[in-house]
Amino acid sequence: MAYDMVMEGGRQTVLAEYVPEKGGYHSDHYQSEAELEKSFIEQLVQQGYEYHPIHKESDLISNLRQKLSELNGITFSDREWDDFFKTCIASKNEGIVEKTRKIQQDYIQLLHRDDGSMKNIYLIDKEHIHNNSLQVINQYAEKGGNHDVRYDVTILVNGLPLVHVELKRRGVNIREAFNQINRYQRDSFWAASGLYEYVQIFVISNGTETKYYSNTTRDSVVKEQHANGRKHSRKTSNSFEFTSHWADVKNHNIFDLVDFTKTFFAKSTILALLTRYCIFTTENILMIMRPYQIAATEAILNRIEVATNYKLMGSIRAGGYIWHTTGSGKTLTSFKTAQLATKLPYIDKVLFVVDRKDLDYQTIKEYDRFQKGAANGNKNTKILTKQLSDPQAKIIITTIQKLDTFIKKNSDHEIYKKHVVMIFDECHRSQFGDMHAAIIKHFRKYHIFGFTGTPIFSANALVHGNPRFATTEQVFGERLHTYIIVDAIRDKNVLPFRIDYINTIHAKKDMKDKQVEAIDQQKALQAPERVREVVSYVLDHFNQKTKRSSFYDLKGQRVNGFNSIFCAESIPMVKKYYLEFKKQLLERRKDLVIATIFSYAPNEAEPGDVVQDEDMDLSKLDQTSRDFLDMAIRDYNGTFNTNFSTDSDGFDNYYKDISQRMKKREIDILLVVNMFLTGFDATTLNTLWVDKNLKMHGLIQAFSRTNRILNSVKTYGNIVCFRNLEKETDDAIALFGDRDARGVVVLKDFKSYFEGYKDENGEKHRGYKELIMELRTKYPPGKEILSEAAQKDFILLMGQILRLRNILSAFDQFEGVDPLKPMEMQDYQSMYITLHEIWKPKAKEKENINDDVVFEMELVRQIEVNIDYIIQLVAKYHKGHCRDKELLADIRRSIDSSIELRSKKELIEGFIARVDVNKDQDMDVTADFHTYVNEEKEKELVEIIQSENLKDEETRKFVDNAFADGELNTLGTDIVKILPKMSRFGSGGKKREEKKERVIDRLKSFFNKYLGL
C-alpha cells in the first residue's frame, strides 16, 4: 500500500504556529522585577534547564571546569585546567571579538596534557546539540569592574555564559533593559576573567515585550560611543533599532516573556540558534538570523531532504520559492541555506544564480562578508566549467547568462548527473522560458529554489510567452515561506515610504484627442523647460528631503543627512538631466557631488513591471552615449582622483566604486536609467527622485532602495515622483502586500501628522500642532520644571514632538507653518538636555525616571548647532563692537541647546570675555579662538599633571593618542602607566584605586571639553 505524506517533521526551530499561553505565569496583578525573574527561572527549570546558585566568579570557573569535563569525557588535572583556562578561555589578550570567534568558529581548542599528549576540547558540540548542558543562574555579582553590579539571569552552555537576559518590571520601557546591558559592557563584562564577554545572545524583556539581539549590536554601540567621545544614551545603527522579536512561521510575533520562553528558550531552539543560525562575518560582526529567515532556510532544507527520500529530484516538486520582501535580508538567508545544504552528505554542488553581472560581484562580496572564501565567484564561462568539475568547489556563484552559455557549450557534462541545489536570487522573468527549459532538460538530479521580494503572479504575468512558465510558482514550485512588506515594516526591519507627486505637466484646456494628448505629453516630458524645472525642484528641496541639517554617526564618522538616486526614463533623458544638474549647480555655487552610470538596455523606456537589465558590456551602446559616459566618468575621476574609463575592466571598476561611495554617502545624487534600482543596498540612501514610468515589481524594487534601517533619524524612504504614479503605487502595494497594506507601507499625509488623525481602530493620534499647544501651556520656556511627575511628563511630550518633527521636516508644507519658533525650540531643547543630565543613570545609583521614559537624544543631536556656527556668531558679535546683547543671548541659548557644546560652555564663555576686552580692536576671531583653545588646553593639562603628580611624558602621550583615536581608552594598561608610584597593598591599594578613578574622571572631562576643537 502506498502512502502520501500528510505532514513532514524534519527541522523546526521556528514553530509552525504558536497560540499564546492563557494563565500560567502571566500575572494579572502588579509584578515586581524580582517576581518576574523568579517565575522566569521556574519556567526554564520546568523546560529542562538546571538551576545552579552561582553568584561569584570562583564558583563560575569551578562549574565551567566540571561541565567541559563532562562534555569531553575527561578529567582535568589542576595543572591542565589552569593552563587551559588561562590560555584558551580567559586569555588577557582576548576580548569580545576573539571570544565570539571561539564559540562560532574555533570551538575546538587544544589541551596539552600532563603526559605530553594533545586532546581536542570542545567548548560547544555543534554536531550533536543535545550533548550540550544548559544551566540557569541569576544575580551573579561582579565586583571587579568600574562599579559593583549584579546581573539578572544568565544561561550557561557547558558552563560558559552564552545567553544573558536582562529584565525590567512590567510597565518599564524595554529600551532601559537594552541601555542597562550597554552599561554592563562599559563597566563590568570585561572584568576579572572576562567570561561574560562570551555572551553571544542578549534577551531583554519587561514581561510584556521581549526581544533578542547579538553581542555585536551591544559591542558596536559602545565602540561608536567611545569613538566619538560621547558615552551616554546614544542610539546608533548598531543599537535598539536592530533588536528583534521572536515569531512563528506565520510571522506572528511572540511578545510576552512566558510565550517567548516556551518557544525561543525551548532547549532545541536556543541550541540551534547558537550552533546553526549565527553567522560571524569577516568584518567580525555576529549576526543572529531572524525567525522568518530560519523558517525559510529550514523549509528549503526539509524540501531537499523529503524530495531526496521520495526520489523527486529533477522535478518541480523538489523545489519551491521564498517570498521575502526586498530589504529583509535575503542574501543572509540564502547564504546560510547554501552553507547548510553543502553539509548534506548527498549534495554535490550548490549553485547560487543571479540574473545580472553587476549583482555577480556584489553578491560574491556579500557572501564573502559572511565567510571568507565561502563563494568561488567566476569571471567567465571557462572558470565556471572548471568549478563545476571540481568536487572541492561546493558553493558557486554565477550568472544566469554564464550558466546558459555553459549549457549550450557543454551538452554532455558530468555535472548533469550530480545532485545539485540551485538557488536563484531575485527570481523573476530572467529565469523564465528558454533558460529554465534548458536547465530542466540537461540537469537530472536538481532542486531549484527561488528567492524573491516581488513574485510574478497571474495578475502581473506577461500575456505573451510560454504560458507554462508565466508565474513564479510555475517555474519554481510552491511557495515555501512568506514574509511580505507589511510584515517587515511592522517588525521595523524595513521602513515605510513617504511619497510626493510633483506635477510638472499641465494639459492644454482645448486638448480633446487622446492620441494627440499622449504624443504631446511625451514631447512635454522631454522638453528642456521641464528638465530645468525638475532639476530646480530637486536642488531647492535637496537638503530638506535628504535631511542635510540632521547629524548622525556613520561607522565612527559624523555625517549630515542622506543621499539619493535620480532615475530617468532613458539614456537621452539622463544625459539631459546630468548636463542641467551641472549647469544649475555651477550657477547656484552649490557643492553637491553628482554622478551617472548607464549602459545598453533593450526597450529601456518601456513601462514594464520589471526594471530592464542593463548590459555591462558597453559595445552595444551607441557611440554618442558612450562618449557622453566617458565625459561623465572624467568628471567623476576629477572629483575623486580616480582613473576609470568605459573599457571593460574600467567600467566594471567604475560601477564598484560608485557602489562603495554611495554606501559611504560620498555621492549626493546618482543619475541612472535602470542600474542600481534593483539589488543595491545602501543604508544612507533615503530619497529616490523618479522621472520614469514604473509599476508592479519594478516599482517596489526601485522604491525599496530607500527603506533600509539605519538609525532613528531615518524614519522612512522618501519617494519624489515627477510623474503621477499613484495608481501604479497602490496596485503594486496591493499585489505584494494586500488591499489594506497602503496604510502600513505609505506614510500618512502632512495634515494627519500636523493636525492629528484616527487610525483604523478608532484610536486618536494627536497632531504636532496640538502637542505644541500643550507644551506651551504646561511648560512655558524658561520656567523651571520642579516635580518628578512634571519632568517625566515633559520628557514624554518632547519625545513625541521630536519624533513628529522628524517626520514633518521632509514635507514641503511644513516650511513656514511650524508653530514652534527656532528660539523656542532651543529653549525647550535646553530644558530637555538638562533633564537628561539629571536623570541619566549615575554610577552606583539605581535608575529612577529612566525606568519609565526614553530620551530621544539622537533626534536632539540631529538639529544641534556646531562649534563653527558658534564662532561665526561670536565673530558677528565682535564686528558689532560687542553691543548686540541679543546676539550674545542667542550664542548662550545655542550652547545650552547642544549636547556637544555644553561641555565646552566654560571655554567658549572665557573666549567671549576675551572678545569683550578687545571689542574695539581688529581680531581674526576664528584664528584667535584656536590660539585661545590651545593655550587653555595646555594650561589645564599642566594643572592636572601637577596636581595629580602624573608622569608628564606618559600623560601627554596618552592624551595625544586619545585625541588622535577619538577615544579615551581607560580599560587597558596605558592609564596605569601615567599614575605615580603607589603601594598596591592594604590601604595603599585602596588609595591607588581612588586616585585612578579621580584621574580618569578628570581626563574624561578634559577630553570631552577639547574634543573636536
Side-chain angles (χ1 to χ4, degrees):
M1 182 181 291
Y3 293 93
D4 285 334
M5 183 178 62
V6 176
M7 183 177 292
E8 181 269 324
R11 303 170 181 84
Q12 197 171 44
T13 301
V14 180
L15 288 180
E17 185 172 13
Y18 182 76
V19 179
E21 179 78 9
K22 299 296 181 186
Y25 291 115
H26 291 259
S27 180
D28 295 326
H29 63 278
Y30 174 84
Q31 191 178 36
S32 69
E33 189 176 308
E35 289 172 327
L36 183 70
E37 181 179 303
K38 182 173 180 287
S39 64
F40 171 55
I41 293 171
E42 287 173 353
Q43 188 178 353
L44 288 175
V45 170
Q46 285 183 6
Q47 292 178 196
Y49 288 69
E50 174 197 350
Y51 176 75
H52 211 34
I54 295 174
H55 304 296
K56 58 183 181 180
E57 190 187 45
S58 59
D59 292 340
L60 186 64
I61 296 171
S62 176
N63 179 70
L64 173 62
R65 177 177 178 173
Q66 179 186 337
K67 289 302 174 183
L68 288 182
S69 296
E70 291 172 3
L71 178 66
N72 292 278
I74 69 161
T75 300
F76 292 95
S77 72
D78 289 346
R79 190 212 64 80
E80 286 172 349
W81 174 251
D82 188 59
D83 181 61
F84 183 78
F85 182 76
K86 286 179 179 176
T87 58
C88 297
I89 294 178
S91 169
K92 295 294 184 186
N93 298 321
E94 294 179 346
I96 290 169
V97 169
E98 293 79 15
K99 289 169 183 173
T100 300
R101 185 177 292 110
K102 270 187 183 162
I103 297 301
Q104 297 302 328
Q105 295 171 355
D106 303 331
Y107 52 92
I108 304 174
Q109 293 288 306
L110 207 57
L111 169 67
H112 296 265
R113 306 223 64 174
D114 290 340
D115 61 8
S117 64
M118 312 286 268
K119 166 85 174 165
N120 284 337
I121 299 296
Y122 284 74
L123 300 182
I124 188 168
D125 189 338
K126 296 200 173 187
E127 294 300 315
H128 308 95
I129 64 172
H130 290 289
N131 285 344
N132 300 293
S133 71
L134 288 172
Q135 297 171 292
V136 55
I137 67 173
N138 71 319
Q139 296 301 309
Y140 179 85
E142 178 55 73
K143 298 183 178 181
N146 293 338
H147 313 290
D148 293 352
V149 294
R150 283 184 178 272
Y151 307 143
D152 285 352
V153 181
T154 306
I155 307 301
L156 306 181
V157 181
N158 306 323
L160 282 169
L162 296 192
V163 183
H164 181 67
V165 185
E166 193 63 30
L167 301 172
K168 292 293 175 185
R169 60 179 169 79
R170 294 180 190 271
V172 171
N173 195 302
I174 191 177
R175 278 199 217 178
E176 182 47 36
F178 181 87
N179 294 338
Q180 182 95 17
I181 288 171
N182 286 345
R183 292 192 287 275
Y184 288 156
Q185 157 60 15
R186 185 181 66 231
D187 293 336
S188 61
F189 278 152
W190 47 266
S193 299
L195 292 179
Y196 265 77
E197 290 186 314
Y198 275 101
V199 173
Q200 304 291 285
I201 299 174
F202 287 95
V203 174
I204 51 176
S205 179
N206 59 6
T208 308
E209 184 181 13
T210 311
K211 303 186 83 174
Y212 72 99
Y213 58 98
S214 77
N215 66 5
T216 298
T217 299
R218 184 277 324 277
D219 190 39
S220 296
V221 65
V222 174
K223 281 183 178 176
E224 288 195 18
Q225 289 168 357
H226 282 204
N228 292 278
R230 300 181 292 269
K231 300 189 179 183
H232 300 297
S233 297
R234 291 186 55 72
K235 291 185 300 174
T236 73
S237 57
N238 295 301
S239 189
F240 187 80
E241 284 79 9
F242 281 69
T243 57
S244 300
H245 289 110
W246 191 245
D248 63 20
V249 167
K250 295 184 178 179
N251 306 316
H252 299 137
N253 284 337
I254 298 169
F255 296 105
D256 194 278
L257 181 59
V258 173
D259 301 318
F260 184 92
T261 306
K262 277 180 172 285
T263 52
F264 185 90
F265 279 115
K267 291 173 76 173
S268 57
T269 298
I270 193 65
L271 288 171
L273 277 170
L274 287 166
T275 59
R276 291 169 65 85
Y277 298 116
C278 286
I279 294 174
F280 190 56
T281 75
T282 55
E283 296 177 340
N284 296 328
I285 294 171
L286 182 65
M287 306 175 81
I288 307 171
M289 294 177 75
R290 294 177 174 130
Y292 63 87
Q293 294 174 312
I294 297 170
T297 299
E298 293 188 336
I300 290 176
L301 294 173
N302 287 336
R303 177 55 56 94
I304 293 171
E305 193 171 336
V306 170
T308 301
N309 290 339
Y310 281 79
K311 308 296 182 189
L312 298 174
M313 301 88 76
S315 74
I316 198 167
R317 295 176 67 189
Y321 77 95
I322 302 295
W323 177 10
H324 281 189
T325 190
T326 305
S328 60
K330 288 191 294 296
T331 304
L332 173 62
T333 311
S334 62
F335 167 76
K336 179 52 78 170
T337 304
Q339 188 186 54
L340 292 175
T342 60
K343 294 181 180 179
L344 297 173
Y346 45 81
I347 296 298
D348 298 308
K349 290 279 184 215
V350 177
L351 270 66
F352 191 85
V353 189
V354 293
D355 67 341
R356 294 170 57 166
K357 185 181 177 185
D358 57 339
L359 275 179
D360 187 9
Y361 48 69
Q362 184 174 322
T363 308
I364 288 171
K365 187 175 184 301
E366 287 296 297
Y367 263 35
D368 212 42
R369 184 166 67 93
F370 299 140
Q371 184 174 309
K372 202 75 173 174
N376 299 304
N378 50 78
K379 291 285 184 184
N380 53 49
T381 311
K382 185 178 178 182
I383 296 173
L384 172 61
T385 306
K386 183 180 177 183
Q387 289 175 327
L388 288 170
S389 304
D390 180 5
Q392 300 305 312
K394 297 289 283 185
I395 300 178
I396 299 171
I397 294 183
T398 189
T399 62
I400 191 105
Q401 295 86 354
K402 287 174 193 164
L403 188 57
D404 189 26
T405 304
F406 167 81
I407 292 172
K408 287 174 182 175
K409 290 183 176 180
N410 299 272
S411 58
D412 185 22
H413 192 278
E414 277 297 307
I415 192 64
Y416 300 137
K417 301 173 187 175
K418 298 292 185 183
H419 200 160
V420 177
V421 174
M422 296 186 191
I423 298 173
F424 286 81
D425 180 59
E426 283 301 343
C427 60
H428 41 80
R429 289 210 184 90
S430 6
Q431 286 88 53
F432 296 10
D434 294 342
M435 179 62 230
H436 184 72
I439 289 174
I440 62 177
K441 178 183 175 183
H442 288 81
F443 285 86
R444 301 282 184 269
K445 296 168 66 177
Y446 63 78
H447 308 262
I448 300 180
F449 299 98
F451 281 81
T452 182
T454 46
I456 304 298
F457 303 113
S458 55
N460 63 324
L462 282 176
V463 178
H464 310 295
N466 189 336
R468 288 178 54 234
F469 300 132
T471 67
T472 304
E473 187 164 343
Q474 285 177 308
V475 174
F476 291 95
E478 68 175 303
R479 191 192 312 167
L480 300 179
H481 193 257
T482 304
Y483 187 76
I484 60 175
I485 191 167
V486 174
D487 297 322
I489 291 172
R490 176 205 63 200
D491 294 343
K492 296 182 170 58
N493 288 328
V494 298
L495 301 170
F497 302 114
R498 199 190 75 75
I499 307 174
D500 287 316
Y501 298 102
I502 310 300
N503 186 15
T504 56
I505 293 182
H506 306 280
K508 297 174 183 174
K509 291 180 182 178
D510 58 350
M511 188 177 291
K512 294 178 181 178
D513 189 306
K514 293 287 182 186
Q515 192 173 3
V516 173
E517 181 181 347
I519 294 169
D520 189 82
Q521 188 179 58
Q522 187 60 29
K523 184 179 177 183
L525 285 169
Q526 299 173 359
E529 298 83 3
R530 179 177 176 275
V531 170
R532 185 163 58 249
E533 184 183 339
V534 168
V535 171
S536 180
Y537 180 90
V538 171
L539 296 181
D540 286 344
H541 295 83
F542 180 83
N543 287 352
Q544 174 199 12
K545 302 299 184 188
T546 60
K547 292 185 173 288
R548 283 307 169 96
S549 61
S550 301
F551 289 83
Y552 60 94
D553 293 299
L554 180 68
K555 295 184 177 178
Q557 297 296 313
R558 187 159 169 79
V559 296
N560 61 314
F562 309 103
N563 55 355
S564 65
I565 288 178
F566 187 106
C567 60
E569 68 173 4
S570 63
I571 291 172
M573 287 304 293
V574 159
K575 288 155 65 175
K576 287 183 180 181
Y577 275 119
Y578 184 81
L579 293 174
E580 185 62 30
F581 269 111
K582 282 183 66 174
K583 176 174 174 288
Q584 289 198 30
L585 285 169
L586 192 64
E587 290 171 352
R588 294 169 180 238
R589 297 181 181 177
K590 198 171 177 73
D591 187 21
L592 288 180
V593 177
I594 64 167
T596 186
I597 186 167
F598 54 79
S599 184
Y600 173 78
N603 307 316
E604 62 187 21
E606 281 189 10
D609 78 317
V610 173
V611 174
Q612 295 291 327
D613 292 346
E614 291 184 47
D615 199 327
M616 295 294 283
D617 179 5
L618 295 181
S619 61
K620 297 178 184 176
L621 199 63
D622 67 85
Q623 192 58 46
T624 304
S625 296
R626 185 159 181 168
D627 290 343
F628 186 94
L629 187 57
D630 263 321
M631 180 271 293
I633 293 175
R634 283 195 297 274
D635 289 347
Y636 186 92
N637 290 336
T639 301
F640 294 111
N641 195 26
T642 50
N643 189 31
F644 302 118
S645 67
T646 58
D647 67 49
S648 179
D649 287 343
F651 188 65
D652 273 8
N653 291 329
Y654 178 56
Y655 179 97
K656 293 176 188 175
D657 200 67
I658 283 180
S659 174
Q660 290 307 304
R661 292 190 191 278
M662 284 295 291
K663 292 178 181 183
K664 293 176 183 176
R665 217 231 62 184
E666 294 176 4
I667 297 170
D668 297 308
I669 306 173
L670 177 63
L671 285 80
V672 302
V673 181
N674 294 331
M675 281 185 176
F676 286 91
L677 295 186
T678 62
F680 174 69
D681 293 341
T683 56
T684 61
L685 180 66
N686 89 317
T687 300
L688 180 72
W689 316 92
V690 183
D691 189 27
K692 69 182 296 177
N693 293 329
L694 295 167
K695 64 180 184 180
M696 294 300 184
H697 171 99
L699 182 143
I700 294 293
Q701 285 285 335
F703 283 17
S704 296
R705 298 314 101 209
T706 65
N707 72 338
R708 300 301 186 269
I709 301 286
L710 178 63
N711 52 27
S712 63
V713 181
K714 185 181 176 183
T715 50
Y716 48 79
N718 218 14
I719 313 296
V720 182
C721 294
F722 298 106
R723 302 188 178 200
N724 188 358
L725 301 179
E726 191 162 8
K727 183 180 184 304
E728 287 80 359
T729 300
D730 290 345
D731 289 346
I733 291 170
L735 182 66
F736 298 119
D738 56 49
R739 289 291 161 191
D740 300 319
R742 195 183 197 282
V744 177
V745 177
V746 179
L747 286 187
K748 299 186 182 303
D749 58 14
F750 172 79
K751 187 178 178 182
S752 297
Y753 294 112
F754 195 73
E755 304 281 353
Y757 64 94
K758 284 187 178 181
D759 62 24
E760 58 275 9
N761 299 318
E763 185 180 345
K764 185 178 185 298
H765 295 260
R766 294 197 295 167
Y768 181 79
K769 191 164 71 171
E770 183 182 339
L771 293 174
I772 296 301
M773 286 176 61
E774 181 183 341
L775 182 71
R776 281 177 169 155
T777 304
K778 283 186 173 181
Y779 309 106
K783 185 177 179 181
E784 189 178 0
I785 306 171
L786 297 174
S787 74
E788 286 187 13
Q791 290 175 355
K792 174 180 171 181
D793 182 64
F794 171 78
I795 292 162
L796 292 170
L797 183 59
M798 269 300 289
Q800 287 178 281
I801 289 169
L802 288 166
R803 288 190 295 273
L804 272 179
R805 189 185 179 92
N806 188 40
I807 293 173
L808 285 166
S809 62
F811 284 90
D812 296 352
Q813 302 98 304
F814 192 53
E815 191 173 350
V817 300
D818 185 356
L820 200 62
K821 301 298 180 252
M823 191 180 295
E824 285 181 289
M825 184 63 196
Q826 284 185 328
D827 286 336
Y828 282 121
Q829 191 167 305
S830 177
M831 291 164 67
Y832 193 68
I833 296 169
T834 299
L835 289 177
H836 177 254
E837 288 295 314
I838 293 170
W839 289 112
K840 70 185 179 185
K842 304 286 194 305
K844 300 183 182 179
E845 286 184 9
K846 189 164 180 64
E847 284 70 38
N848 197 331
I849 204 171
N850 232 14
D851 272 354
D852 302 297
V853 298
V854 171
F855 286 91
E856 297 289 349
M857 299 314 290
E858 191 167 45
L859 295 182
V860 170
R861 273 194 178 87
Q862 64 157 319
I863 50 177
E864 289 185 336
V865 296
N866 58 25
I867 191 68
D868 295 330
Y869 173 76
I870 295 296
I871 297 307
Q872 285 176 16
L873 292 183
V874 173
K876 187 177 177 183
Y877 174 66
H878 175 263
K879 194 174 181 180
H881 299 282
C882 303
R883 296 191 186 97
D884 190 346
K885 299 307 175 185
E886 276 298 314
L887 185 57
L888 191 60
D890 192 27
I891 292 169
R892 287 176 174 143
R893 187 181 289 110
S894 297
I895 294 169
D896 286 339
S897 68
S898 168
I899 304 165
E900 308 307 321
L901 296 183
R902 278 195 170 202
S903 62
K904 308 175 195 327
K905 183 176 182 179
E906 182 186 346
L907 194 66
I908 295 168
E909 290 192 336
F911 180 66
I912 291 172
R914 179 181 287 193
V915 169
D916 274 327
V917 170
N918 298 290
K919 61 185 176 186
D920 297 321
Q921 298 177 20
D922 286 338
M923 283 183 75
D924 182 339
V925 171
T926 302
D928 285 353
F929 178 71
H930 287 298
T931 301
Y932 171 77
V933 165
N934 289 331
E935 289 171 358
E936 292 297 308
K937 184 178 176 184
E938 173 63 16
K939 191 191 304 179
E940 191 168 336
L941 182 58
V942 167
E943 198 280 325
I944 293 172
I945 291 170
Q946 291 179 352
S947 63
E948 299 291 349
N949 194 26
L950 303 180
K951 297 172 185 174
D952 189 283
E953 187 178 342
E954 286 85 346
T955 304
R956 290 180 181 280
K957 184 178 178 182
F958 178 76
V959 167
D960 288 344
N961 287 340
F963 283 114
D965 297 339
E967 174 184 2
L968 190 77
N969 185 3
T970 61
L971 300 181
T973 57
D974 289 346
I975 187 71
V976 178
K977 293 176 183 176
I978 73 174
L979 298 174
K981 287 184 178 180
M982 295 177 70
S983 172
R984 295 173 181 267
F985 305 103
S987 60
K990 185 179 179 183
K991 288 180 180 178
R992 188 175 187 277
E993 279 304 307
E994 289 173 355
K995 175 85 164 180
K996 180 181 171 184
E997 286 297 317
R998 187 171 67 251
V999 169
I1000 287 173
D1001 287 342
R1002 292 192 69 181
L1003 288 178
K1004 278 181 181 177
S1005 177
F1006 173 81
F1007 177 76
N1008 290 330
K1009 184 175 183 179
Y1010 291 98
L1011 181 65
L1013 297 181

